[in-house]
Amino acid sequence: MSTPQAPGLIRQLWYRWKKLQLPWRKQFLVGADLAGNTYWIFKDALHANRWRRIVRYSSKVHYSDVKVTPQWHQWLRHTRAEAPSIQEQQYDVSRQAMMKQLASRANDRWKSVPSYLDAPSAQQAQPALQPRDPAGYVQQTEPENKQGVMSAVEDAVKVQEVAVEGKDGKEVDEGRFKGSTREKPRERGPAPWEQQQAKGTPGESWQPATWTPGTAQRR
């Protein structure tokens, strides 16, 4: 990307002439960007001590393609007091070009690294994991594997037999850490609400008594 060139000699002389704050002028030129857009100031009609800032786009560029640089945008919004110079604008363009080159190089480096999102055919083969101590690694033979499986099955059968004996009501030793040792299951009695239903409720036999009026006493 080539850095935009500064305006020519005739254009610079025209800029200097327009920058002169002559008394009969209503607008004064402040500067221009590398795309040919010019920036002006003029006094506000309502406030005589306040200056307004505007931009006039170049006639060579369509309105939809006009781009205002961040430096000039800050000046238009009154967040920057001084207008940017031509040298500052050229340096900013070269800085942006350098940043794009560095970003493209970093993107190429990231693309060279294999990713799990790639297709299986495009992924690189992963190296097999090796033991830390190859000399101390002992491969287990097939008979030893079978013997370990058989012992695990026998232990599971014994545990199941103990559980079945506990359900039949025989003596079961669950160990001292479980809180019960050689205890039989307790027989459950009737629930409290069942006992109350058998006795009946107190209000079932209640009947209202008859009322007989008496004689009133004189005072």
Side-chain angles (χ1 to χ4, degrees):
M1 181 178 179
S2 60
T3 304
Q5 301 295 331
L9 180 59
I10 299 177
R11 177 68 63 175
Q12 292 182 6
L13 294 176
W14 184 80
Y15 286 164
R16 291 180 182 179
W17 168 250
K18 288 295 182 180
K19 285 181 180 180
L20 297 177
Q21 297 185 4
L22 301 176
W24 62 83
R25 286 181 177 175
K26 296 181 179 180
Q27 296 182 358
F28 307 100
L29 179 66
V30 176
D33 56 10
L34 301 177
N37 304 320
T38 56
Y39 299 86
W40 304 73
I41 59 173
F42 62 94
K43 285 189 177 183
D44 194 350
L46 299 178
H47 302 276
N49 296 329
R50 186 172 64 179
W51 293 86
R52 301 291 299 275
R53 299 178 179 182
I54 59 173
V55 55
R56 291 182 179 177
Y57 304 121
S58 175
S59 58
K60 300 179 180 179
V61 182
H62 194 267
Y63 286 140
S64 60
D65 299 332
V66 172
K67 294 182 180 179
V68 178
T69 60
Q71 293 83 2
W72 280 112
H73 193 274
Q74 294 173 1
W75 181 83
L76 290 172
R77 293 293 181 179
H78 293 269
T79 57
R80 176 174 178 151
E82 300 295 335
S85 60
I86 297 296
Q87 292 76 12
E88 182 181 356
Q89 297 179 56
Q90 290 178 345
Y91 173 77
D92 186 69
V93 172
S94 61
R95 181 188 61 82
Q96 293 180 9
M98 182 61 66
M99 291 296 295
K100 290 181 180 179
Q101 292 180 3
L102 295 176
S104 62
R105 293 176 184 175
N107 192 17
D108 294 340
R109 288 196 300 268
W110 278 106
K111 287 182 179 179
S112 61
V113 178
S115 175
Y116 289 102
L117 301 178
D118 298 337
S121 59
Q123 293 181 359
Q124 299 180 3
Q126 299 292 338
L129 299 177
Q130 299 294 335
R132 296 184 178 180
D133 189 6
Y137 176 73
V138 179
Q139 186 176 4
Q140 193 173 10
T141 59
E142 186 176 356
E144 294 179 357
N145 292 337
K146 292 183 178 180
Q147 185 177 1
V149 172
M150 294 299 296
S151 61
V153 172
E154 292 176 358
D155 295 341
V157 172
K158 291 180 180 179
V159 172
Q160 188 174 4
E161 292 177 355
V162 171
V164 172
E165 291 179 359
K167 291 180 181 179
D168 295 341
K170 298 181 180 180
E171 295 184 356
V172 179
D173 187 4
E174 296 181 357
R176 60 178 180 175
F177 297 104
K178 294 189 177 182
S180 60
T181 304
R182 297 184 183 278
E183 293 183 358
K184 294 182 180 180
R186 298 175 59 185
E187 296 181 358
R188 295 180 57 186
W193 54 86
E194 296 177 354
Q195 297 178 2
Q196 187 67 26
Q197 290 178 359
K199 294 180 181 179
T201 57
E204 289 182 357
S205 60
W206 179 84
Q207 293 295 334
T210 58
W211 176 75
T212 304
T215 57
Q217 298 179 0
R218 293 182 179 182
R219 296 182 180 179

